[in-house]
Amino acid sequence: GLLTFILYRSQPLIASLTSLTAALQVHRTQINEGMKIIENTKIEEKKIIQQLNENSVYFGKNPKIDIQNLTFSYLDEEKLKPIFSNLNLQLQFGKIYALAGKNGSGKSTFADLLIGLLKPKEGKILINDKNINQFPNSWINYVSYLSQNYFLFNDTIKNNITLQQRQNKTFDNEKYDRAIRISNLINEFEKFSNKDETKLNNSGRNLSGGQRQRIAIARLIYKSSKIIILDEPTASLDQISSDLMIKMLQEIKKDKLIVIISHSKEILDSCDEILSIDHFGIKKINR
């Protein structure tokens, strides 16, 4: 009687298991195909990760940039205008380089080649023996370029520095404090009732040239790029701010490569080496 009672009470469970087994039998083909897709997806993910690792930028402990047999020319009025010819140069991290030369000699072109915006006609630019053109999308993430025509958004000073809302980035308070300290923006905030929440109008026209440049410099510091290129960074700064800028660059140069395009004697004297552009080449002058 007990056994009959147990069998009777187990009928719903047995029926459910039988139904599930039948369903599995019916959908066995789809399940097997799904498992194959999952396995193939894992294999593809491994391949993608391997490709990313092979093409990723590796700086290592003592990174350097080697420029080998680089040649670049512009097409000017249907004629080739040579800028660099068979240029060979090595740049080391932990140093500040001043890039000097006459107007039109190729200073901005050299910067664009180093950033990867321009590609050499011949030769290559290597980072630890890897061509920077192998990873055009990731290379730019390691470079900060402060040109003379930087752009400020119609947004708060803080968002102009961090760009967090525009690039969906998380805010790093430690990096932010360091950026405003080094760029000497703390004193400037005291001039505004809303401090760093002050909103810029018309691309920062409500600020002085020096204030706008400090914001652009703070943005560069906040990004913490490995390679920093500055084009006449002290042009809108007074002497005190220029001295602070030089001190700031010396403070952050330890694991970075910094190139400054400048005609300023103070900047040239503060750099570790001067790169002088002349006769389609670059001559390195040690300090």
Side-chain angles (χ1 to χ4, degrees):
L2 180 61
L3 180 61
T4 302
F5 177 76
I6 293 173
L7 290 173
Y8 175 76
R9 298 292 293 176
S10 301
Q11 280 184 353
L13 178 60
I14 295 170
S16 177
L17 289 172
T18 303
S19 176
L20 181 60
T21 302
L24 288 173
Q25 292 293 335
V26 171
H27 298 290
R28 177 180 292 177
T29 303
Q30 290 91 332
I31 293 172
N32 290 336
E33 289 297 324
M35 292 300 294
K36 288 180 181 178
I37 292 172
I38 291 172
E39 290 300 322
N40 290 335
T41 302
K42 289 180 178 179
I43 293 171
E44 289 300 320
E45 285 180 352
K46 288 180 180 178
K47 288 181 179 178
I48 291 171
I49 292 172
Q50 183 179 356
Q51 289 175 357
L52 289 173
N53 289 334
E54 289 174 353
N55 295 325
S56 61
V57 184
Y58 175 71
F59 289 91
K61 292 184 178 180
N62 298 301
K64 61 181 179 179
I65 289 181
D66 284 304
I67 301 171
Q68 297 180 356
N69 304 317
L70 185 145
T71 296
F72 186 85
S73 302
Y74 276 121
L75 188 62
D76 185 20
E77 296 181 355
E78 299 183 356
K79 293 182 180 180
L80 284 176
K81 179 183 178 182
I83 304 296
F84 297 110
S85 178
N86 198 34
L87 173 63
N88 289 278
L89 185 68
Q90 185 179 98
L91 302 176
Q92 296 177 335
F93 283 68
K95 286 189 175 184
I96 302 176
Y97 295 91
L99 189 60
K102 298 177 181 178
N103 291 333
S105 60
K107 298 186 296 294
S108 296
T109 300
F110 179 79
D112 290 342
L113 286 164
L114 200 58
I115 294 170
L117 295 177
L118 294 176
K119 294 183 180 180
K121 305 300 180 184
E122 297 178 12
K124 49 194 173 182
I125 301 176
L126 307 175
I127 172 72
N128 286 345
D129 300 325
K130 277 193 174 183
N131 196 322
I132 65 170
N133 292 322
Q134 287 182 229
F135 27 76
N137 295 327
S138 59
W139 176 250
I140 196 68
N141 294 324
Y142 295 96
V143 181
S144 287
Y145 182 26
L146 179 61
S147 69
Q148 295 185 51
N149 300 313
Y150 50 84
F151 184 80
L152 299 180
F153 300 98
N154 293 332
D155 204 336
T156 64
I157 294 175
K158 184 177 183 179
N159 287 341
N160 264 281
I161 294 171
T162 63
L163 301 178
Q164 74 179 95
Q165 290 189 359
R166 297 181 177 275
Q167 298 182 1
N168 296 321
K169 291 184 175 180
T170 56
F171 176 71
D172 190 318
N173 191 68
E174 185 177 345
K175 285 170 59 178
Y176 180 71
D177 289 343
R178 181 170 181 262
I180 62 175
R181 175 181 60 81
I182 293 177
S183 60
N184 197 33
L185 268 173
I186 296 177
N187 294 332
E188 298 300 322
F189 289 163
E190 300 302 321
K191 300 176 183 178
F192 305 109
S193 57
N194 293 327
K195 304 296 189 291
D196 59 349
E197 293 296 334
T198 300
K199 191 167 183 178
L200 305 187
N201 298 319
N202 194 18
S203 300
R205 297 301 178 190
N206 53 328
L207 304 179
S208 68
Q211 289 170 333
R212 290 197 300 271
Q213 192 150 14
R214 286 191 185 94
I215 292 172
I217 292 168
R219 178 192 293 172
L220 178 147
I221 297 168
Y222 183 85
K223 187 181 176 184
S224 300
S225 299
K226 286 286 189 181
I227 299 169
I228 297 175
I229 301 174
L230 307 103
D231 191 352
E232 297 291 353
T234 59
S236 300
L237 302 179
D238 55 33
Q239 188 60 50
I240 294 175
S241 298
S242 297
D243 293 341
L244 287 172
M245 159 71 76
I246 295 169
K247 183 179 178 182
M248 175 270 291
L249 294 175
Q250 292 291 344
E251 181 179 336
I252 67 172
K253 75 174 185 178
K254 182 179 179 181
D255 60 342
K256 304 182 186 301
L257 169 64
I258 302 175
V259 178
I260 309 174
I261 301 172
S262 181
H263 295 93
S264 167
K265 186 178 184 302
E266 289 79 8
I267 290 287
L268 298 179
D269 290 341
S270 67
C271 293
D272 300 304
E273 295 183 8
I274 297 175
L275 306 176
S276 179
I277 300 179
D278 192 25
H279 295 101
F280 314 123
I282 295 180
K283 182 171 63 175
K284 188 182 290 188
I285 303 173
N286 295 323
R287 301 298 305 164

